[in-house]
Amino acid sequence: MTHYKLTYFDFDGGRGEPIRIAFHAAGIELEDNRLTFAEFGEMRRTTRFNSLPVLEIDGAAVTQSNAIGRYVGKMAGLYPEDDLQALYCDEVVGALEDIYHKVVPTFALQGDELKEAREKLVDGWLTFFLRGLDELLARGGGDYFADNRLTMADLKMFVQTRWLNSGGLEHVPTDLVQRLAPALIEHEKRIANEAVVTAYYAGRA
Ligand SMILES: N[C@@H](CCC(=O)N[C@@H](CS)C(=O)NCC(=O)O)C(=O)O
């Protein structure tokens, strides 16, 4: 049996979380290797691109969360077979990835600099992306982003809506998504109640 080991940070979010949920949905055993930030610091340079997640398949490492997500998503039946629906799924995943690229650089800031950068993000890129994602959810029919069913796009959006709402991002109002794109809040609740998602978190409890 193939051995899968996913190395990511020890929290239920970020780029690793949709992959963990998808492995569970696929019914494939996963060694869920969770690191503290300090542990990552020690092994960072041993990873191919100095970052996580890393998936090891029988010991061979692969990187890039969205490529891994697509791979596991296919095994879990969470990636559209139809090319156009797959394109719609990938468009959402790409836009959500862009949000990380806009927000993550602000992690290094503090005090007034952080406040200014986050407020700029809230009025700028975050507003822009949340409106665009709202539009993509409407295109998908309102319940899911693609293929009229749960896909990797929904899992990644669910994780990011939860993150934006969490209060963990200082100076990002916890009602931002609600104000700009209430359909994404409904979406987050819907995905949280999907059988594969509830089963995954029940197993974590
Ligand atoms: N394109 C990569 C980005 C990976 C990435 O930036 N991962 C973050 C965590 S979500 C990381 O390892 N950051 C630590 C660092 O860059 O030092 C992917 O999608 O996997």
Side-chain angles (χ1 to χ4, degrees), residues 8-9 14-16 40 44 49-53 63-66 97 101 156:
Y8 193 63
F9 297 105
R15 289 179 172 99
F40 170 65
R44 186 171 186 267
F49 296 115
N50 287 356
S51 62
L52 300 177
T63 63
Q64 299 304 325
S65 59
N66 297 318
E97 190 55 35
H101 288 283
K156 194 164 168 108

Side-chain angles (χ1 to χ4, degrees), residues 155-170:
L155 292 185
K156 194 164 168 108
M157 182 78 246
F158 158 74
V159 168
Q160 277 182 242
T161 305
R162 223 175 34 174
W163 179 52
L164 292 171
N165 288 344
S166 68
L169 278 172
E170 220 181 323

